[in-house]
Amino acid sequence: MGVILKAENVSKQYRLGLVGTGTLSHDLNRFWARIRGKEDPYLKVGAVNDRATKAESEYVWALKDINFEVQQGEILGIIGKNGAGKSTLLKLLSRVTGPTTGTIKTKGTIASLLEVGTGFHPELTGRENVYLNGAILGMRKAEIATKLDEIIEFSGCEKYIDTPVKRYSSGMRVRLAFAVAAHLEPDILVIDEVLAVGDAEFQKKAIGKMQDISQGEGRTVLFVSHNMAAVKSLCTRAILIENGEITYSGNVEKVLQKYYGFEKNQFLVESFSSDKDIYFNSVTINDNSNVSKSIYNYEEDINLNISIEINKIQENSALFVLIMNDDGIRVFSAETPLNEFKNNYILKINGGFLSKGNYKVDLYLHIPLIKRFDSLIDVLFFKVFDTSSEFTKHKDFNHGLVFGNYTWIK
């Protein structure tokens, strides 16, 4: 396959408060340094890109010393908090703006979807904008014509394709723009958070298309999103950007754990206390394939594998599990008796039970209301996403802690 994109020591500096790169005096200082063959004096100054802190310099490094490679056919997820520098990086990769320092090397054509309706003329119809957008991406009119029907069908905007785009909703513009970019066969497709504007049905369709063009056609996708379930299901690798710097790169699951701060408490906790009658050995959290992970879609089963040691059977003793959310609310409890010398227990939290949110696990070995043998508090943390339930159409509406077990009688 080979490397199709490479960023080497890429940095981007901005001046705070004003549009432009600096004052006249700064521009003169830069010019004087340049004609003497000296380094730009303002590259040595500049605050770290942390939006939560007070500015101590009039310059800020939106990105600092970014280095990574992307293989052909790879889907790279780029994640980070708001203001971390993700969109700035995509603008550099798309050549919307240039880096202050460093180089970006690419092979082939790049198509970008950075903002809703970018490249669309509001007075032109959807059909005319397909040709316009295709031309911007470097396609000939004949090439666009061969794909036109497929683009229109995929966008779901056929009824309005000869209506001026200014009458489109933001979601319709995203549908059409994505359809153009995905079907005109760029070597690298750059997607920002714009897919969040689309509905759940279109997001699922778009993710499927991105998988097809990567796996089937060998093209490369760079994908920025705050929808971590989409990143998890789509991307083959991910990078985490914090304060303008890449702090972690690699396996998507590991990067997401780093992003949420779960990696410090994951997978294995040991508490050996052989002087106790009953004590914990270890706890892991796995999916149905026995893969240890901490991020699940709401439809996935979550398995808590609990290993204990029993030196002496205690009558009425039990293993108690408490699941709490990050607000400290008790979501549910589960308990099983310890009436034999059994060392391993699995609690399966069935998919479709927990709604989206962050959760933690407490474990107890006890005789209820009488004696506690051992306990593990905040032993594991995990996160549940929801990308496909009936409630996704309500966007950020909080429908409750669990989906519930109920029946509509009509």
Side-chain angles (χ1 to χ4, degrees):
M1 286 290 187
V3 176
I4 196 170
L5 186 151
K6 185 175 183 179
E8 296 180 302
N9 301 316
V10 172
S11 299
K12 182 65 175 178
Q13 187 187 71
Y14 288 109
R15 187 165 185 246
L16 296 173
L18 299 172
V19 177
T21 57
T23 63
L24 178 61
S25 64
H26 287 187
D27 290 340
L28 289 173
N29 288 338
R30 283 191 165 111
F31 173 75
W32 180 239
R34 187 165 61 250
I35 63 175
R36 291 184 298 143
K38 302 293 185 179
E39 183 183 33
D40 185 338
Y42 298 104
L43 295 183
K44 297 178 181 179
V45 300
V48 174
N49 180 15
D50 185 353
R51 59 184 167 80
T53 60
K54 183 178 180 181
E56 297 178 352
S57 169
E58 60 184 316
Y59 289 94
V60 64
W61 289 103
L63 294 171
K64 186 70 173 175
D65 296 329
I66 299 295
N67 292 275
F68 66 94
E69 294 181 350
V70 185
Q71 300 290 324
Q72 182 180 351
E74 189 173 28
I75 303 181
L76 177 69
I78 303 173
I79 66 174
K81 297 179 180 178
N82 290 331
K86 306 184 300 300
S87 295
T88 300
L89 177 59
L90 290 196
K91 288 176 181 177
L92 294 178
L93 298 177
S94 304
R95 299 172 185 170
V96 173
T97 185
T100 305
T101 63
T103 59
I104 298 173
K105 300 175 183 178
T106 60
K107 297 178 182 178
T109 57
I110 301 176
S112 303
L113 212 57
L114 302 182
E115 296 178 11
V116 177
T118 299
F120 276 13
H121 193 295
E123 298 297 333
L124 298 180
T125 67
R127 189 187 304 273
E128 292 166 336
N129 269 294
V130 169
Y131 282 98
L132 175 62
N133 229 227
I136 291 172
L137 295 176
M139 305 297 292
R140 294 185 179 90
K141 185 176 180 180
E143 293 178 274
I144 300 169
T146 60
K147 293 276 188 178
L148 183 61
D149 291 341
E150 190 177 348
I151 290 170
I152 294 172
E153 181 183 358
F154 185 89
S155 71
C157 299
E158 186 171 2
K159 185 175 182 179
Y160 305 100
I161 198 64
D162 292 309
T163 300
V165 165
K166 66 182 181 181
R167 298 196 177 102
Y168 283 22
S169 69
S170 58
M172 289 172 63
R173 288 196 293 271
V174 165
R175 281 174 169 267
L176 193 59
F178 179 84
V180 174
H183 284 83
L184 295 185
E185 301 182 356
D187 296 295
I188 304 172
L189 180 59
V190 180
I191 306 289
D192 204 347
E193 189 62 59
V194 290
L195 289 184
V197 179
D199 54 41
E201 178 266 332
F202 180 71
Q203 287 183 33
K204 187 175 181 179
K205 190 176 182 180
I207 287 172
K209 181 62 179 176
M210 285 187 278
Q211 290 173 329
D212 289 343
I213 66 177
S214 171
Q215 298 170 5
E217 303 170 30
R219 287 183 277 152
T220 302
V221 179
L222 305 181
F223 183 57
V224 165
S225 179
H226 290 287
N227 183 340
M228 297 306 164
V231 172
K232 185 170 177 288
S233 64
L234 173 66
C235 299
T236 54
R237 189 166 64 88
I239 61 175
L240 173 61
I241 298 181
E242 295 179 305
N243 299 330
E245 300 179 357
I246 294 178
T247 57
Y248 202 79
S249 173
N251 174 273
V252 176
E253 179 74 29
K254 297 292 185 183
V255 173
L256 290 179
Q257 289 173 20
K258 195 82 174 177
Y259 175 71
Y260 286 110
F262 290 161
E263 82 286 350
K264 296 178 181 178
N265 297 295
Q266 271 308 298
F267 309 144
L268 183 62
V269 177
E270 298 180 344
S271 177
F272 294 107
S273 305
S274 57
D275 58 327
K276 298 178 180 179
D277 291 336
I278 308 171
Y279 60 93
F280 288 106
N281 268 340
S282 63
V283 187
T284 61
I285 181 169
N286 304 328
D287 63 13
N288 284 339
S289 299
N290 205 34
V291 175
S292 295
K293 63 183 189 180
S294 60
I295 301 171
Y296 298 81
N297 195 2
Y298 92 102
E299 296 175 310
E300 291 184 274
D301 294 335
I302 302 170
N303 299 293
L304 292 176
N305 295 275
I306 305 165
S307 174
I308 67 172
E309 288 292 336
I310 302 178
N311 290 327
K312 181 181 178 181
I313 288 289
Q314 296 287 336
E315 188 176 0
N316 298 322
S317 61
L319 166 60
F320 182 84
V321 180
L322 175 62
I323 307 295
M324 305 177 70
N325 69 7
D326 55 2
D327 292 324
I329 297 173
R330 298 185 176 195
V331 180
F332 79 95
S333 302
E335 190 171 59
T336 186
L338 306 175
N339 50 19
E340 58 184 34
F341 284 98
K342 181 179 178 180
N343 298 106
N344 298 302
Y345 294 81
I346 299 176
L347 172 64
K348 179 186 288 292
I349 304 173
N350 295 318
F353 174 64
L354 291 175
S355 64
K356 64 180 180 181
N358 299 327
Y359 299 91
K360 67 174 185 174
V361 181
D362 292 350
L363 299 173
Y364 300 89
L365 294 168
H366 68 163
I367 299 174
L369 304 177
I370 296 177
K371 184 177 182 179
R372 179 185 299 179
F373 300 103
D374 199 4
S375 62
L376 296 175
I377 308 301
D378 295 347
V379 63
L380 293 176
F381 294 81
F382 64 95
K383 186 178 188 69
V384 175
F385 287 107
D386 177 13
T387 58
S388 56
S389 79
E390 60 182 311
F391 294 102
T392 55
K393 61 179 177 287
H394 298 299
K395 299 295 182 183
D396 295 327
F397 174 72
N398 182 359
H399 62 268
L401 300 176
V402 297
F403 283 95
N405 183 12
Y406 54 83
T407 302
W408 286 104
I409 300 175
K410 299 180 180 178

